[in-house]
Amino acid sequence: MQVLKQQHNVCANDFAMAGAASAAVKKTLNQLGFPSAFVRRTSIAMYEGEINMVIHADGGTADVEIAEDYVKITLTDKGPGIADIDLAMQEGWSTASESVRELGFGAGMGLPNIKKQSDELEVISVAGEGTTLIITTKVNEQ
């Protein structure tokens, strides 16, 4: 299989379209015949990162690389950055506003869920410049 690349834009505060990019990737993975458990893990990891861009950043881009045995998702935003990555990785910790929480988001499970669902997670963040998440899921590591 040749490596397939996709790019998706994620808009800030657009809760109506939140999850559209991860849904498109999920559809592609299903069409390509990847195992359902792998598709589920990959979709959850991407969705959580996508929602973080909608809630906390000014949107961003999702660059997806689909290979025979892995998917690599690079989520890049120009948001405020993550001041304390270790703290942000703790379940329940969130900087989401009250209005976002009223919509049912911002429970502080995004980064912990990404870590749980992925095989590799790299978080690169610079205060005032933005955050990049590099998420890799591997087919044979379920």
Side-chain angles (χ1 to χ4, degrees), residues 21-126:
S22 53
V25 170
K26 179 180 180 179
K27 181 178 179 180
T28 299
L29 295 176
N30 280 323
Q31 289 174 337
L32 291 170
F34 281 94
S36 60
F38 172 77
V39 173
R40 182 177 182 278
R41 288 185 325 109
T42 303
S43 299
I44 291 170
M46 183 170 174
Y47 175 81
E48 293 286 8
E50 183 179 355
I51 289 299
N52 279 351
M53 286 196 292
V54 171
I55 294 171
H56 300 289
D58 294 326
T61 57
D63 292 291
V64 183
E65 182 178 301
I66 302 169
E68 187 174 333
D69 57 347
Y70 72 89
V71 172
K72 180 179 176 182
I73 303 159
T74 303
L75 303 171
T76 306
D77 70 52
K78 298 291 184 194
I82 301 170
D84 186 333
I85 293 171
D86 290 334
L87 187 58
M89 294 300 293
Q90 294 180 21
E91 290 185 11
W93 187 85
S94 178
T95 59
S97 68
E98 190 59 36
S99 61
V100 167
R101 291 173 193 255
E102 288 173 0
L103 293 172
F105 299 100
M109 295 304 294
L111 288 174
N113 279 342
I114 295 168
K115 184 174 182 175
K116 180 180 175 183
Q117 299 299 326
S118 65
D119 295 299
E120 297 172 13
L121 171 60
E122 183 177 359
V123 181
I124 305 160
S125 192
V126 178

